[in-house]
Amino acid sequence: MIAETVCSAVAAAGLGIAAITAYRKRFLAAARMTAYSLVPLGLVMTGVVDWLADTAFSPTAWAGFGVLGVSWLLFASTRAVERRRGGTRKERKEARSAGQREAVAPQASAPSLGAGTRQASRPATAPRADAGDDFSDIEAILKKHGI
C-alpha cells in the first residue's frame, strides 16, 4: 500500500515538473520527463509493485534467490574446469583411445617445414656501409622537409 502511494506521488511530481518544463517551451525535455514519470504509475497499475513488495519481504523468495545463485556458481565453475581440461569426459576418452591407436605418426621422420626453398634476401655477413653514408641519407631527408 505504501509502495503504491509513493509511486503515485513520484508520478504526480514528475508530471508537474514536465508541465513546468513545457511552459518554458522545452517540449522535447517535457515529453521525456512525462514518459519517465508515467513508468512508476504503470508499474502500480499492472501489479508489478505488489509482486515486488511481496517478494522483497518473503524469506522463501530470498532463499530461492540464494539457491539460484548457488546453482549459477556450480554451472560456472564446472564449465571453467571443463574448459581447462579440454572438453567433456567423453571427448577426453575418445582422444586418449585415438592417441593409443596411432602412437607414431607415419610421416614423423619427414621434415615438417620442407626442404628450405626460401633464399635469404641478403647474406648474413653483408659488408656495412660507411657511417658517413648513413648520415648523408638522413641529411637529404631533413633538407627535403626543410629542417
Side-chain angles (χ1 to χ4, degrees), residues 90-112:
K90 184 178 178 182
E91 292 170 352
R92 287 191 310 272
K93 187 175 181 181
E94 289 174 1
R96 265 189 258 133
S97 65
Q100 290 173 354
R101 276 186 262 141
E102 192 175 319
V104 177
Q107 299 170 349
S109 61
S112 61

PDB file of all heavy atoms in Angstrom, residues 90-112:
ATOM      1  N   LYS A  90      33.711 -37.607 -22.228  1.00  0.00           N
ATOM      2  CA  LYS A  90      33.616 -38.458 -23.410  1.00  0.00           C
ATOM      3  C   LYS A  90      34.655 -38.048 -24.456  1.00  0.00           C
ATOM      4  O   LYS A  90      35.325 -38.902 -25.054  1.00  0.00           O
ATOM      5  CB  LYS A  90      32.205 -38.363 -23.983  1.00  0.00           C
ATOM      6  CG  LYS A  90      31.950 -39.269 -25.147  1.00  0.00           C
ATOM      7  CD  LYS A  90      30.504 -39.143 -25.610  1.00  0.00           C
ATOM      8  CE  LYS A  90      30.232 -40.011 -26.819  1.00  0.00           C
ATOM      9  NZ  LYS A  90      28.868 -39.859 -27.305  1.00  0.00           N
ATOM     10  N   GLU A  91      34.816 -36.745 -24.660  1.00  0.00           N
ATOM     11  CA  GLU A  91      35.796 -36.263 -25.636  1.00  0.00           C
ATOM     12  C   GLU A  91      37.223 -36.616 -25.226  1.00  0.00           C
ATOM     13  O   GLU A  91      38.046 -36.988 -26.058  1.00  0.00           O
ATOM     14  CB  GLU A  91      35.659 -34.754 -25.814  1.00  0.00           C
ATOM     15  CG  GLU A  91      34.380 -34.321 -26.482  1.00  0.00           C
ATOM     16  CD  GLU A  91      34.163 -32.821 -26.417  1.00  0.00           C
ATOM     17  OE1 GLU A  91      34.931 -32.128 -25.720  1.00  0.00           O
ATOM     18  OE2 GLU A  91      33.220 -32.341 -27.058  1.00  0.00           O
ATOM     19  N   ARG A  92      37.539 -36.517 -23.938  1.00  0.00           N
ATOM     20  CA  ARG A  92      38.878 -36.862 -23.470  1.00  0.00           C
ATOM     21  C   ARG A  92      39.154 -38.352 -23.650  1.00  0.00           C
ATOM     22  O   ARG A  92      40.255 -38.761 -24.020  1.00  0.00           O
ATOM     23  CB  ARG A  92      39.051 -36.459 -22.016  1.00  0.00           C
ATOM     24  CG  ARG A  92      39.177 -34.974 -21.807  1.00  0.00           C
ATOM     25  CD  ARG A  92      39.608 -34.634 -20.395  1.00  0.00           C
ATOM     26  NE  ARG A  92      38.829 -35.293 -19.356  1.00  0.00           N
ATOM     27  CZ  ARG A  92      37.707 -34.814 -18.822  1.00  0.00           C
ATOM     28  NH1 ARG A  92      37.234 -33.664 -19.228  1.00  0.00           N
ATOM     29  NH2 ARG A  92      37.074 -35.472 -17.876  1.00  0.00           N
ATOM     30  N   LYS A  93      38.132 -39.183 -23.374  1.00  0.00           N
ATOM     31  CA  LYS A  93      38.289 -40.622 -23.518  1.00  0.00           C
ATOM     32  C   LYS A  93      38.533 -40.994 -24.982  1.00  0.00           C
ATOM     33  O   LYS A  93      39.399 -41.809 -25.288  1.00  0.00           O
ATOM     34  CB  LYS A  93      37.039 -41.330 -22.990  1.00  0.00           C
ATOM     35  CG  LYS A  93      37.160 -42.825 -22.928  1.00  0.00           C
ATOM     36  CD  LYS A  93      35.939 -43.444 -22.293  1.00  0.00           C
ATOM     37  CE  LYS A  93      36.072 -44.946 -22.206  1.00  0.00           C
ATOM     38  NZ  LYS A  93      34.881 -45.562 -21.612  1.00  0.00           N
ATOM     39  N   GLU A  94      37.794 -40.364 -25.897  1.00  0.00           N
ATOM     40  CA  GLU A  94      37.990 -40.622 -27.323  1.00  0.00           C
ATOM     41  C   GLU A  94      39.370 -40.167 -27.775  1.00  0.00           C
ATOM     42  O   GLU A  94      40.019 -40.824 -28.586  1.00  0.00           O
ATOM     43  CB  GLU A  94      36.908 -39.920 -28.142  1.00  0.00           C
ATOM     44  CG  GLU A  94      35.539 -40.543 -28.011  1.00  0.00           C
ATOM     45  CD  GLU A  94      34.463 -39.735 -28.727  1.00  0.00           C
ATOM     46  OE1 GLU A  94      34.807 -38.696 -29.336  1.00  0.00           O
ATOM     47  OE2 GLU A  94      33.301 -40.141 -28.672  1.00  0.00           O
ATOM     48  N   ALA A  95      39.836 -39.057 -27.266  1.00  0.00           N
ATOM     49  CA  ALA A  95      41.153 -38.552 -27.643  1.00  0.00           C
ATOM     50  C   ALA A  95      42.252 -39.490 -27.161  1.00  0.00           C
ATOM     51  O   ALA A  95      43.236 -39.730 -27.865  1.00  0.00           O
ATOM     52  CB  ALA A  95      41.361 -37.156 -27.078  1.00  0.00           C
ATOM     53  N   ARG A  96      42.103 -40.048 -25.942  1.00  0.00           N
ATOM     54  CA  ARG A  96      43.092 -40.989 -25.424  1.00  0.00           C
ATOM     55  C   ARG A  96      43.137 -42.254 -26.264  1.00  0.00           C
ATOM     56  O   ARG A  96      44.205 -42.758 -26.598  1.00  0.00           O
ATOM     57  CB  ARG A  96      42.784 -41.336 -23.970  1.00  0.00           C
ATOM     58  CG  ARG A  96      43.541 -40.476 -22.997  1.00  0.00           C
ATOM     59  CD  ARG A  96      43.385 -40.971 -21.584  1.00  0.00           C
ATOM     60  NE  ARG A  96      42.398 -40.086 -20.969  1.00  0.00           N
ATOM     61  CZ  ARG A  96      41.363 -40.461 -20.244  1.00  0.00           C
ATOM     62  NH1 ARG A  96      41.173 -41.722 -19.989  1.00  0.00           N
ATOM     63  NH2 ARG A  96      40.528 -39.588 -19.754  1.00  0.00           N
ATOM     64  N   SER A  97      41.968 -42.776 -26.614  1.00  0.00           N
ATOM     65  CA  SER A  97      41.943 -44.018 -27.401  1.00  0.00           C
ATOM     66  C   SER A  97      42.485 -43.781 -28.808  1.00  0.00           C
ATOM     67  O   SER A  97      43.151 -44.629 -29.374  1.00  0.00           O
ATOM     68  CB  SER A  97      40.530 -44.591 -27.459  1.00  0.00           C
ATOM     69  OG  SER A  97      39.673 -43.715 -28.164  1.00  0.00           O
ATOM     70  N   ALA A  98      42.237 -42.629 -29.392  1.00  0.00           N
ATOM     71  CA  ALA A  98      42.783 -42.313 -30.717  1.00  0.00           C
ATOM     72  C   ALA A  98      44.291 -42.154 -30.643  1.00  0.00           C
ATOM     73  O   ALA A  98      45.008 -42.529 -31.569  1.00  0.00           O
ATOM     74  CB  ALA A  98      42.142 -41.047 -31.268  1.00  0.00           C
ATOM     75  N   GLY A  99      44.790 -41.623 -29.552  1.00  0.00           N
ATOM     76  CA  GLY A  99      46.231 -41.449 -29.377  1.00  0.00           C
ATOM     77  C   GLY A  99      46.949 -42.775 -29.213  1.00  0.00           C
ATOM     78  O   GLY A  99      48.081 -42.942 -29.653  1.00  0.00           O
ATOM     79  N   GLN A 100      46.299 -43.761 -28.592  1.00  0.00           N
ATOM     80  CA  GLN A 100      46.919 -45.069 -28.416  1.00  0.00           C
ATOM     81  C   GLN A 100      46.940 -45.849 -29.722  1.00  0.00           C
ATOM     82  O   GLN A 100      47.848 -46.624 -29.978  1.00  0.00           O
ATOM     83  CB  GLN A 100      46.166 -45.862 -27.344  1.00  0.00           C
ATOM     84  CG  GLN A 100      46.366 -45.306 -25.959  1.00  0.00           C
ATOM     85  CD  GLN A 100      45.485 -46.010 -24.942  1.00  0.00           C
ATOM     86  OE1 GLN A 100      44.643 -46.831 -25.282  1.00  0.00           O
ATOM     87  NE2 GLN A 100      45.678 -45.660 -23.681  1.00  0.00           N
ATOM     88  N   ARG A 101      45.939 -45.657 -30.569  1.00  0.00           N
ATOM     89  CA  ARG A 101      45.890 -46.368 -31.843  1.00  0.00           C
ATOM     90  C   ARG A 101      47.000 -45.898 -32.777  1.00  0.00           C
ATOM     91  O   ARG A 101      47.611 -46.662 -33.477  1.00  0.00           O
ATOM     92  CB  ARG A 101      44.531 -46.165 -32.515  1.00  0.00           C
ATOM     93  CG  ARG A 101      43.510 -47.134 -31.998  1.00  0.00           C
ATOM     94  CD  ARG A 101      42.229 -47.021 -32.773  1.00  0.00           C
ATOM     95  NE  ARG A 101      41.344 -46.171 -31.959  1.00  0.00           N
ATOM     96  CZ  ARG A 101      40.525 -45.260 -32.433  1.00  0.00           C
ATOM     97  NH1 ARG A 101      40.434 -45.058 -33.710  1.00  0.00           N
ATOM     98  NH2 ARG A 101      39.770 -44.552 -31.635  1.00  0.00           N
ATOM     99  N   GLU A 102      47.252 -44.627 -32.808  1.00  0.00           N
ATOM    100  CA  GLU A 102      48.250 -44.067 -33.717  1.00  0.00           C
ATOM    101  C   GLU A 102      49.362 -43.442 -32.885  1.00  0.00           C
ATOM    102  O   GLU A 102      49.452 -42.239 -32.729  1.00  0.00           O
ATOM    103  CB  GLU A 102      47.603 -43.013 -34.619  1.00  0.00           C
ATOM    104  CG  GLU A 102      48.471 -42.591 -35.768  1.00  0.00           C
ATOM    105  CD  GLU A 102      47.731 -41.634 -36.684  1.00  0.00           C
ATOM    106  OE1 GLU A 102      46.547 -41.848 -36.958  1.00  0.00           O
ATOM    107  OE2 GLU A 102      48.369 -40.658 -37.106  1.00  0.00           O
ATOM    108  N   ALA A 103      50.217 -44.290 -32.329  1.00  0.00           N
ATOM    109  CA  ALA A 103      51.249 -43.822 -31.421  1.00  0.00           C
ATOM    110  C   ALA A 103      52.326 -43.046 -32.159  1.00  0.00           C
ATOM    111  O   ALA A 103      52.829 -42.049 -31.671  1.00  0.00           O
ATOM    112  CB  ALA A 103      51.864 -44.997 -30.671  1.00  0.00           C
ATOM    113  N   VAL A 104      52.716 -43.511 -33.349  1.00  0.00           N
ATOM    114  CA  VAL A 104      53.746 -42.834 -34.119  1.00  0.00           C
ATOM    115  C   VAL A 104      53.113 -42.373 -35.420  1.00  0.00           C
ATOM    116  O   VAL A 104      52.495 -43.156 -36.126  1.00  0.00           O
ATOM    117  CB  VAL A 104      54.937 -43.770 -34.395  1.00  0.00           C
ATOM    118  CG1 VAL A 104      55.978 -43.085 -35.260  1.00  0.00           C
ATOM    119  CG2 VAL A 104      55.527 -44.248 -33.101  1.00  0.00           C
ATOM    120  N   ALA A 105      53.298 -41.137 -35.738  1.00  0.00           N
ATOM    121  CA  ALA A 105      52.766 -40.620 -36.992  1.00  0.00           C
ATOM    122  C   ALA A 105      53.523 -41.255 -38.152  1.00  0.00           C
ATOM    123  O   ALA A 105      54.743 -41.412 -38.081  1.00  0.00           O
ATOM    124  CB  ALA A 105      52.885 -39.108 -37.036  1.00  0.00           C
ATOM    125  N   PRO A 106      52.825 -41.618 -39.231  1.00  0.00           N
ATOM    126  CA  PRO A 106      53.516 -42.286 -40.335  1.00  0.00           C
ATOM    127  C   PRO A 106      54.568 -41.411 -41.003  1.00  0.00           C
ATOM    128  O   PRO A 106      55.523 -41.914 -41.556  1.00  0.00           O
ATOM    129  CB  PRO A 106      52.389 -42.636 -41.306  1.00  0.00           C
ATOM    130  CG  PRO A 106      51.210 -41.865 -40.874  1.00  0.00           C
ATOM    131  CD  PRO A 106      51.424 -41.494 -39.447  1.00  0.00           C
ATOM    132  N   GLN A 107      54.422 -40.124 -40.968  1.00  0.00           N
ATOM    133  CA  GLN A 107      55.387 -39.238 -41.614  1.00  0.00           C
ATOM    134  C   GLN A 107      56.222 -38.482 -40.580  1.00  0.00           C
ATOM    135  O   GLN A 107      56.637 -37.366 -40.808  1.00  0.00           O
ATOM    136  CB  GLN A 107      54.652 -38.253 -42.504  1.00  0.00           C
ATOM    137  CG  GLN A 107      53.878 -38.934 -43.605  1.00  0.00           C
ATOM    138  CD  GLN A 107      52.971 -37.958 -44.327  1.00  0.00           C
ATOM    139  OE1 GLN A 107      52.775 -36.841 -43.870  1.00  0.00           O
ATOM    140  NE2 GLN A 107      52.423 -38.377 -45.451  1.00  0.00           N
ATOM    141  N   ALA A 108      56.467 -39.094 -39.455  1.00  0.00           N
ATOM    142  CA  ALA A 108      57.193 -38.410 -38.391  1.00  0.00           C
ATOM    143  C   ALA A 108      58.643 -38.144 -38.762  1.00  0.00           C
ATOM    144  O   ALA A 108      59.255 -37.209 -38.263  1.00  0.00           O
ATOM    145  CB  ALA A 108      57.134 -39.218 -37.112  1.00  0.00           C
ATOM    146  N   SER A 109      59.238 -38.972 -39.651  1.00  0.00           N
ATOM    147  CA  SER A 109      60.646 -38.763 -39.987  1.00  0.00           C
ATOM    148  C   SER A 109      60.832 -37.672 -41.034  1.00  0.00           C
ATOM    149  O   SER A 109      61.927 -37.175 -41.210  1.00  0.00           O
ATOM    150  CB  SER A 109      61.252 -40.074 -40.489  1.00  0.00           C
ATOM    151  OG  SER A 109      60.559 -40.491 -41.652  1.00  0.00           O
ATOM    152  N   ALA A 110      59.773 -37.279 -41.733  1.00  0.00           N
ATOM    153  CA  ALA A 110      59.892 -36.236 -42.749  1.00  0.00           C
ATOM    154  C   ALA A 110      59.943 -34.870 -42.078  1.00  0.00           C
ATOM    155  O   ALA A 110      59.275 -34.638 -41.078  1.00  0.00           O
ATOM    156  CB  ALA A 110      58.706 -36.300 -43.706  1.00  0.00           C
ATOM    157  N   PRO A 111      60.761 -33.963 -42.611  1.00  0.00           N
ATOM    158  CA  PRO A 111      60.805 -32.623 -42.003  1.00  0.00           C
ATOM    159  C   PRO A 111      59.473 -31.915 -42.191  1.00  0.00           C
ATOM    160  O   PRO A 111      58.807 -32.050 -43.215  1.00  0.00           O
ATOM    161  CB  PRO A 111      61.930 -31.924 -42.756  1.00  0.00           C
ATOM    162  CG  PRO A 111      62.138 -32.701 -43.998  1.00  0.00           C
ATOM    163  CD  PRO A 111      61.686 -34.095 -43.712  1.00  0.00           C
ATOM    164  N   SER A 112      59.073 -31.160 -41.203  1.00  0.00           N
ATOM    165  CA  SER A 112      57.762 -30.529 -41.246  1.00  0.00           C
ATOM    166  C   SER A 112      57.744 -29.235 -42.036  1.00  0.00           C
ATOM    167  O   SER A 112      56.700 -28.790 -42.477  1.00  0.00           O
ATOM    168  CB  SER A 112      57.276 -30.265 -39.824  1.00  0.00           C
ATOM    169  OG  SER A 112      58.177 -29.408 -39.183  1.00  0.00           O
TER     170      SER A 112
END
